Amino acid sequence: MKRHIIIILLFLVCMGAKAQQNKFDPQKFQAALEQFITREAKLTQKEAADFFPIYKELQAKQRALFQQAGKSRWVKPASEAECRTAIEKQDAIDIQIKKLQKQYHQKYLQVISASKLYDVIRAEDRFHRQSIRKFTERQAPPKRK
């Protein structure tokens, strides 16, 4: 009986360790993103030091807007009028996000060149696409042969 309990406990500890490995770590994600952008856009240390505080500021503001938008995305409103209001609210948030991006692009251009900003924008998009692809590959069940 003790042996079975020990085996079950070891199994649970191993499963817990495995779950911890797959747990999302925002700091590691942010560090990997910054490293990827720095490498892909060929930012110098000074450029990166000037750029990333502004970048993080934009991300924080965008995150707040995404959270606002996310609240209404999962539950369909009951009436036509509520649906119209939800759509208009989402449109307004989308416009706010775009205006914010435009504002911060101007700030970025004060610390890095336009060609490097272009590379940053493309690198950020590639990083997110790669991250999503890796995540979905880890979540998918193993393929049978």
Side-chain angles (χ1 to χ4, degrees):
M1 186 65 175
K2 285 183 183 181
R3 184 181 294 175
H4 290 299
I5 292 173
I6 291 172
I7 291 172
I8 291 171
L9 287 175
L10 283 173
F11 176 75
L12 291 174
V13 168
C14 289
M15 292 302 289
K18 179 72 174 160
Q20 287 294 330
Q21 287 176 349
N22 291 334
K23 196 170 187 179
F24 178 72
D25 183 353
Q27 286 81 21
K28 284 174 78 174
F29 182 84
Q30 185 67 31
L33 172 63
E34 289 179 20
Q35 184 180 23
F36 187 85
I37 288 173
T38 301
R39 183 179 67 247
E40 293 293 309
K42 297 175 180 66
L43 298 178
T44 65
Q45 285 184 337
K46 181 176 181 353
E47 288 171 331
D50 292 343
F51 172 78
F52 283 110
I54 302 168
Y55 180 81
K56 289 177 185 177
E57 189 178 300
L58 171 62
Q59 282 186 316
K61 290 179 180 180
Q62 283 179 323
R63 195 173 302 114
L65 290 170
F66 290 143
Q67 286 174 345
Q68 273 183 345
K71 290 177 184 176
S72 62
R73 285 193 178 171
W74 301 111
V75 178
K76 183 178 178 179
S79 70
E80 282 294 311
E82 289 173 340
C83 285
R84 179 180 299 275
T85 302
I87 291 167
E88 290 170 354
K89 182 179 177 184
Q90 182 60 52
D91 288 346
I93 290 171
D94 289 344
I95 291 168
Q96 277 184 284
I97 290 170
K98 277 301 179 191
K99 284 181 179 179
L100 201 56
Q101 286 175 340
K102 183 177 180 179
Q103 176 187 352
Y104 274 82
H105 287 170
Q106 295 305 312
K107 288 183 178 187
Y108 295 153
L109 290 170
Q110 294 174 3
V111 296
I112 61 174
S113 68
S115 63
K116 286 198 177 188
L117 177 56
Y118 183 84
D119 292 340
V120 164
I121 293 167
R122 294 196 56 194
E124 180 184 27
D125 185 52
R126 276 195 311 273
F127 180 84
H128 288 296
R129 289 177 188 272
Q130 288 176 8
S131 297
I132 291 169
R133 194 174 310 120
K134 286 178 186 175
F135 177 77
T136 55
E137 287 171 0
R138 276 188 284 162
Q139 300 301 316
K143 294 180 182 177
R144 290 186 172 180
K145 292 184 179 182

